[in-house]
Amino acid sequence: MYFQKKRCIAMLLAGGQGSRLYVLTEKTAKPAVPFGGKYRIIDFPLSNCVNSGIDTVGILTQYQPLELNEYIGNGQPWNLNKTHSCAQVLPPYERHDKKQGWYKGTANAIYQNIDFIDRFDPEYVVVLSGDHIYKMDYSKMVDYHEKNGAACTIAVRNVPLEEASRFGILNTNPDNTIYEFEEKPKKPKSTNASMGIYCFTWKVMRETLIADEEDPESSNDFGKNIIPRLLNGGHKLMAYNFDGYWKDVGTINSLWEANMELLGKEPAFNIRGDERFKIYARNSAFPSSYIDASAKIVGSFVAEGCEVYGTVRHSVVSVGCTIGEGALIEDSVVMPGVVVESGAIVRHAILGENSKVCRNAVVGGAFEPNEKKKISVAGKGVVIEENAVLAPGAML
Amino acid sequence: MNVMGIIFTNDGNVGELTNKRTMASLPFGGRYRQVDFGLSNLAFAGVRHVGIIARYSYQSLMNHIGDGEEWGLELGEGGLEFLTPYASSVNHSYRGKLESLSSNMDFLEYCDDDYVIMIDSTVLSNIDLNKVVADHIASGKDITVVTAKGICNGKKLMDFALKLDKNGQVEDMVCDYAAPAEYQASMDIFVMSRQVLIREVKTLVAKNWFHMDRDLCMGGWRSGKVTVNAYQFDGIAMFNESVQEYFEHSLSLVDKKVREGLFGGAHPIYTKVRDRVPTYYGENCDIENVVAADGCMLDGTVKNSVLFRQVTISEGSKVENCVIMNDGIIGTGCELKNVILDKNVTVTPGTKLFGTKANPIVIKRGEIV
């Protein structure tokens, strides 16, 4: 087989369990969680790759990969199925020396796939996470990395000082070179939070991964081990500032918030945005949606294949949902294939895929504008019985 | 048993809407083109060779269908083939389906399938063609014509209609005639064995006969040279043969039974993927009985209408009984009633357009009004 040499390929870390999404990731890997009416989280990094001219993407899967693998398929929705492009799913595998097995950490996952990367003989490797919502042109970051002759460039964003201790913080010199990395520092020295988006010079990365693997003390993690190892080795590390919308959707609240941030006349995240920077998704063959005379929809996204007879306010309703007459959906995320029967009330909730809220059931509640929202969650395929109540913040 | 498919793209008969496109590429139902129905019907019958006979204005059709990927027809072996006039040197202006088949005899002879399903792009349905083929084989007849009840009414001019007896056997046939209600309309779906089709096309075209309905079916049946079986389809069949019918059928999609019949029938209907975002319903919108595709921005009042992809309805506008195709933009304070907007039409703020149910106003593609 012939493998075209690539300037840059991407490795997408999609193996995390996403345990803080609880019932939503019980049977689904986090990157396959639905988002924004017709997308899944992984559509964002994958589309970013394609829109940045990166046509070779290795996708590292481990936790509950069935649905994710099915979804990625041959990469056709993202145009990654052409002669010289690929979306290659890379699960852990048994090696002849039995030395390796499950991916032990983010760096180990890449280490185990050195052979895959070597085939393309790339100059640079971009490492991405499968749980962030954002639009970013990685080619600008790669150019910046190349121009600075760095071994590693890390995308950073400014966070409020009081929140900085929740992130991996990169302390930089005035020329944006990194001199220190601190994971969740108690007393942060700066507000440059790592976005978990890395660009590596493959030659240096390769050596570093091998050295790290030989260190029995290492937990083989990019943030904890690889970055400090590079810094100690005297390599040049750069911070790349990104000020566009970016959201880690690793928790129920952040997933709900990110969906809400799509709404409004001038949304925090304009998913419609630039025609040339589209987010691609695998499409199901749903017909157009039908909005009945009894329906009332305000400030909401409703995707295709829906039948709406009830009231929808400030919500995201995904493909193939039915909202019955007299039902109310407010400040909620309704994932694909959900049925909400007539008279049901759903507020501040996430309804998982193919879940069902039966007649007159009540899910979630109302909150004051400044109050911390307690989001109620119905897991995939869950049925909330007639007249049942799912309290604010409760999960089923 | 292998089955191949032929799709006829049909000349336009829907006024302005098909001046520059074939019936096959006429947009329908918010996100489809007419050809999607025939293609999906064939794809779900497991057909592995599909020839699309296109005569003219087929650029938009080729763009839409591409290599047939969306219908699972992008096959290494076989798959989808565009049969354009350039592919043959014999006859560029087909007078009828038999002539167009004759011009593409190479394709018919090259495919090694046992049966051929021929389907056109004017009549929309969601039909299980496997059942039709099985019925054809069981009948032992030469041709199976798929028919629909409730279309003939003594007024509508029918291309081809059949009268069946109590046992479903053909009793009479008429062409280009306002057949009375006891006749069933031909849905322009035919099944034949490939060998019989090749034989009939060759002998009929040699005698300067070219008309599928009149010469092959009716002529052959009357002279006893071919036997004809009728398969009575009891689902929804939409004959979009005029602007009025197209308009009426489009708006009938607000009826749940119609939507279920057309989209929830034997299988889904596939179409080209456009990767639009979901439709956004703004703070001021009032939407009643509307079929809406993806990518729309709705902030006005819309009633009893069909909205295609990426339509914008601005605040303070009223749209009623309208079909608005892709990328239509309705400015603020407009009023539209009984209007069909072709693709990419911009209606400037404050414009009022009123057609009637029987005679909707049609605005041409790309116009600014």
Side-chain angles (χ1 to χ4, degrees):
Chain A
M1 242 181 118
Y2 171 73
F3 291 94
Q4 198 181 35
K5 180 180 165 64
K6 303 281 178 185
R7 176 177 176 241
C8 181
I9 72 166
M11 297 296 275
L12 179 49
L13 301 165
Q17 184 183 350
S19 56
R20 287 172 304 152
L21 288 178
Y22 303 97
V23 291
L24 294 176
T25 48
E26 238 165 46
K27 286 182 183 148
T28 306
K30 184 158 60 169
V33 168
F35 182 84
K38 63 173 286 194
Y39 307 97
R40 288 177 192 264
I41 296 170
I42 198 169
D43 289 329
F44 291 82
L46 273 181
S47 302
N48 286 341
C49 283
V50 176
N51 290 327
S52 308
I54 296 173
D55 63 4
T56 303
V57 186
I59 301 160
L60 301 140
T61 60
Q62 179 153 291
Y63 175 78
Q64 289 284 357
L66 173 67
E67 215 173 321
L68 184 60
N69 291 352
E70 233 169 49
Y71 187 71
I72 296 163
N74 64 351
Q76 177 264 336
W78 307 272
N79 268 320
L80 291 169
N81 62 333
K82 305 296 177 245
T83 307
H84 294 295
S85 69
C86 78
Q88 173 88 52
V89 174
L90 301 166
Y93 57 96
E94 191 180 12
R95 285 158 55 118
H96 68 96
D97 54 11
K98 314 266 182 204
K99 264 189 185 158
Q100 302 286 342
W102 298 109
Y103 295 148
K104 291 180 285 176
T106 50
N108 175 257
I110 307 284
Y111 169 82
Q112 291 203 46
N113 289 289
I114 284 180
D115 289 348
F116 170 78
I117 300 173
D118 276 345
R119 289 174 152 195
F120 303 97
D121 187 21
E123 301 301 318
Y124 309 111
V125 175
V126 172
V127 176
L128 306 167
S129 288
D131 48 7
H132 299 159
I133 299 295
Y134 63 116
K135 285 185 182 184
M136 180 175 176
D137 185 346
Y138 304 134
S139 71
K140 288 183 182 157
M141 179 172 169
V142 176
D143 290 347
Y144 175 86
H145 174 86
E146 185 172 60
K147 202 180 86 196
N148 284 293
C152 173
T153 298
I154 305 172
V156 298
R157 59 199 303 273
N158 234 328
V159 293
L161 187 63
E162 62 272 20
E163 283 179 31
S165 54
R166 285 174 38 217
F167 294 90
I169 296 295
L170 295 160
N171 298 320
T172 55
N173 300 308
D175 65 352
N176 255 5
T177 52
I178 299 166
Y179 67 86
E180 191 183 25
F181 172 81
E182 292 182 289
E183 181 74 29
K184 297 181 181 155
K186 288 221 172 74
K187 285 185 183 166
K189 291 179 206 148
S190 86
T191 54
N192 274 335
S194 165
M195 294 164 60
I197 300 166
Y198 307 92
C199 175
F200 288 97
T201 298
W202 174 232
K203 196 167 163 278
V204 182
M205 185 193 193
R206 198 179 187 283
E207 289 163 6
T208 313
L209 287 172
I210 292 169
D212 188 65
E213 193 58 32
E214 284 164 3
D215 177 359
E217 302 292 304
S218 173
S219 51
N220 308 119
D221 182 83
F222 275 105
K224 273 184 225 145
N225 309 105
I226 299 294
I227 302 307
R229 189 176 283 278
L230 285 168
L231 283 168
N232 293 338
H235 290 288
K236 185 175 184 185
L237 277 77
M238 296 294 298
Y240 175 79
N241 293 95
F242 179 76
D243 54 9
Y245 180 90
W246 177 90
K247 191 129 189 159
D248 181 337
V249 288
T251 65
I252 294 290
N253 270 72
S254 63
L255 179 64
W256 176 82
E257 270 168 31
N259 274 285
M260 294 300 115
E261 281 164 0
L262 301 170
L263 304 174
K265 218 168 187 176
E266 282 165 17
F269 183 40
N270 187 351
I271 200 170
R272 177 178 288 267
D274 186 352
E275 263 292 293
R276 288 160 302 173
F277 215 98
K278 266 191 210 172
I279 302 301
Y280 300 91
R282 190 172 284 282
N283 275 259
S284 357
F286 283 110
S288 306
S289 281
Y290 171 68
I291 315 302
D292 191 69
S294 61
K296 175 84 188 148
I297 311 180
V298 180
S300 299
F301 270 117
V302 178
E304 293 187 297
C306 291
E307 303 255 327
V308 182
Y309 299 87
T311 299
V312 178
R313 281 202 203 102
H314 199 245
S315 294
V316 174
V317 178
S318 308
V319 291
C321 292
T322 304
I323 312 296
E325 199 170 338
L328 168 69
I329 310 286
E330 213 170 57
D331 302 303
S332 293
V333 180
V334 182
M335 288 185 175
V338 168
V339 175
V340 177
E341 291 187 345
S342 60
I345 298 175
V346 177
R347 287 178 297 182
H348 292 97
I350 299 178
L351 301 179
E353 269 178 279
N354 301 317
S355 60
K356 187 174 175 184
V357 182
C358 298
R359 289 170 73 91
N360 303 324
V362 177
V363 177
F367 297 91
E368 295 300 318
N370 294 324
E371 204 178 342
K372 165 119 172 114
K373 314 286 189 290
K374 286 192 225 152
I375 305 304
S376 310
V377 185
K380 195 171 174 173
V382 159
V383 177
I384 295 171
E385 303 290 346
E386 211 170 308
N387 299 315
V389 174
L390 188 63
M395 282 187 211
L396 192 64
Chain B
M1 180 204 70
N2 292 319
V3 184
M4 61 179 286
I6 298 275
I7 293 186
F8 296 100
T9 54
N10 302 80
D11 295 351
N13 47 18
V14 188
E16 294 279 15
L17 298 174
T18 47
N19 262 355
K20 288 186 177 165
R21 54 165 85 95
T22 63
M23 279 308 289
S25 39
L26 178 66
F28 185 84
R31 60 198 299 272
Y32 305 97
R33 299 212 186 214
Q34 299 249 132
V35 74
D36 293 340
F37 294 83
L39 264 181
S40 300
N41 288 336
L42 286 173
F44 280 93
V47 168
R48 294 181 63 82
H49 289 111
V50 177
I52 299 183
I53 297 189
R55 182 154 58 165
Y56 74 110
S57 300
Y58 47 75
Q59 186 276 331
S60 69
L61 187 63
M62 290 179 92
N63 175 292
H64 177 73
I65 296 174
D67 62 358
E69 192 176 36
E70 262 94 7
W71 297 268
L73 290 168
E74 79 298 10
L75 306 170
E77 191 94 344
L80 202 87
E81 206 156 327
F82 268 89
L83 306 171
T84 65
Y86 293 104
S88 68
S89 58
V90 186
N91 199 333
H92 285 185
S93 53
Y94 317 132
R95 286 175 295 173
K97 286 178 182 169
L98 297 183
E99 245 175 32
S100 66
L101 288 169
S102 170
S103 293
N104 292 293
M105 191 50 78
D106 283 354
F107 179 72
L108 275 181
E109 287 185 330
Y110 161 81
C111 294
D112 55 1
D113 303 279
D114 303 316
Y115 294 93
V116 184
I117 302 171
M118 289 168 279
I119 191 162
D120 91 346
S121 304
T122 301
V123 183
L124 305 184
S125 65
N126 185 332
I127 182 172
D128 184 347
L129 291 172
N130 280 323
K131 284 189 186 162
V132 182
V133 174
D135 187 71
H136 173 75
I137 294 169
S139 77
K141 303 251 167 84
D142 295 322
I143 307 174
T144 291
V145 184
V146 180
T147 62
K149 281 180 213 150
I151 306 291
C152 299
N153 57 11
K155 286 184 221 142
K156 178 175 161 60
L157 191 65
M158 300 307 305
D159 286 344
F160 185 32
L162 299 86
K163 193 176 170 191
L164 309 179
D165 67 15
K166 270 183 261 166
N167 303 317
Q169 300 297 311
V170 178
E171 204 173 80
D172 189 26
M173 293 184 193
V174 289
C175 280
D176 301 317
Y177 176 64
E182 65 262 31
Y183 281 70
Q184 297 203 18
S186 157
M187 287 170 60
D188 279 337
I189 300 174
F190 304 94
V191 178
M192 292 178 76
S193 100
R194 189 174 58 92
Q195 292 304 342
V196 172
L197 177 65
I198 289 172
R199 186 192 74 209
E200 289 301 318
V201 167
K202 282 184 175 170
T203 52
L204 289 168
V205 171
K207 292 172 187 160
N208 200 26
W209 281 331
F210 49 84
H211 202 287
M212 182 88 177
D213 305 333
R214 183 181 291 279
D215 299 332
L216 174 54
C217 297
M218 193 163 73
W221 178 72
R222 286 206 195 289
S223 65
K225 281 186 183 139
V226 296
T227 50
V228 177
N229 170 48
Y231 177 90
Q232 302 180 56
F233 177 61
D234 53 10
I236 286 177
M238 282 185 180
F239 286 66
N240 289 335
E241 296 183 302
S242 64
V243 173
Q244 286 71 24
E245 282 176 323
Y246 172 82
F247 186 58
E248 189 190 315
H249 291 149
S250 292
L251 297 187
S252 75
L253 291 175
V254 303
D255 181 344
K256 192 177 173 107
K257 277 200 201 102
V258 175
R259 286 198 306 280
E260 279 176 354
L262 212 50
F263 304 118
H267 49 72
I269 303 297
Y270 285 167
T271 188
K272 186 179 172 77
V273 168
R274 290 286 183 188
D275 289 296
R276 302 290 186 215
V277 302
T279 283
Y280 188 69
Y281 297 79
E283 297 296 325
N284 310 302
C285 74
D286 183 7
I287 313 291
E288 285 184 18
N289 294 326
V290 167
V291 169
D294 50 352
C296 300
M297 287 282 263
L298 309 180
D299 224 6
T301 300
V302 188
K303 288 183 183 167
N304 291 312
S305 296
V306 176
L307 306 178
F308 283 67
R309 287 167 166 164
Q310 207 94 336
V311 165
T312 304
I313 311 275
S314 306
E315 198 181 332
S317 276
K318 282 185 189 162
V319 172
E320 197 178 339
N321 295 340
C322 290
V323 174
I324 303 181
M325 294 190 194
N326 297 13
D327 301 299
I329 298 174
I330 314 294
T332 51
C334 295
E335 237 176 288
L336 277 67
K337 199 168 180 181
N338 298 311
V339 179
I340 301 175
L341 301 187
D342 204 330
K343 287 168 75 171
N344 252 316
V345 169
T346 301
V347 180
T348 52
T351 305
K352 292 185 173 30
L353 296 169
F354 297 108
T356 63
K357 266 200 165 153
N359 270 308
I361 292 177
V362 178
I363 308 290
K364 277 193 280 189
R365 174 152 46 168
E367 294 230 322
I368 298 171
V369 290

